Amino acid sequence: MVRVDQRTESSVQFLDTARELEIFTIKKCVRFPKRYARYFSDMLIRLSEEIYNDLCRANATYLDSLSAFEQREHYVKSAEKNLRCLGSQLAVAKEIFDHIEKTDCEPKEKIPVCSSSAWVIWNKYILDELRLLANLRRSDKDRKNKFITQ
């Protein structure tokens, strides 16, 4: 068993993907029009931060008791909920920004707020993270069952 003061954060894919999602979100949201910052940028960045922070907490939870398993499960579920919210808010943002690009500007001023490939990459991050978290929850369930039977 590793002493508490000697534990380090493990490098696991679900955590790396969440970090990449947060960085990508920040980079894209700072390019949104300022008039939408309070509606989209701030919220999308906050959701991505919460996802990453919840998963850091889940990863830091040492699974040595049933309450620790429950605490970790709580953090993972919270991250999953925020991922789903992030996905739905991105869909709303895309719809609004697509509409703005079609109606608000003169033809020569039409510069996309976010490229179509960026929306695809964002959704890929979300789907990949949801898949990784489903695998993590399955793995944790197996670990919890082994822990209970010991």
Side-chain angles (χ1 to χ4, degrees), residues 25 29 62 64 79-80 116 136:
T25 300
C29 285
Y62 186 67
D64 61 347
E80 285 177 335
S116 58
L136 175 67

Side-chain angles (χ1 to χ4, degrees), residues 24-32 40-41 44-45 122:
F24 186 81
T25 300
I26 292 168
K27 285 181 177 179
K28 293 303 173 187
C29 285
V30 297
R31 299 179 72 194
F32 286 176
F40 292 113
S41 301
L44 296 174
I45 290 169
W122 237 325

Side-chain angles (χ1 to χ4, degrees), residues 25-95:
T25 300
I26 292 168
K27 285 181 177 179
K28 293 303 173 187
C29 285
V30 297
R31 299 179 72 194
F32 286 176
K34 296 226 183 293
R35 64 183 172 176
Y36 292 99
R38 146 184 118 143
Y39 300 108
F40 292 113
S41 301
D42 297 348
M43 176 184 26
L44 296 174
I45 290 169
R46 182 185 47 78
L47 283 169
S48 67
E49 287 171 344
E50 287 178 12
I51 291 163
Y52 181 62
N53 289 336
D54 280 339
L55 293 176
C56 285
R57 289 182 192 101
N59 192 50
T61 304
Y62 186 67
L63 302 175
D64 61 347
S65 66
L66 287 177
S67 63
F69 278 99
E70 290 169 7
Q71 184 180 31
R72 180 169 161 129
E73 184 178 0
H74 167 76
Y75 291 135
V76 173
K77 282 182 180 179
S78 177
E80 285 177 335
K81 290 175 190 173
N82 285 327
L83 274 165
R84 293 180 196 290
C85 288
L86 180 63
S88 64
Q89 290 303 309
L90 282 171
V92 171
K94 182 180 183 326
E95 188 173 327

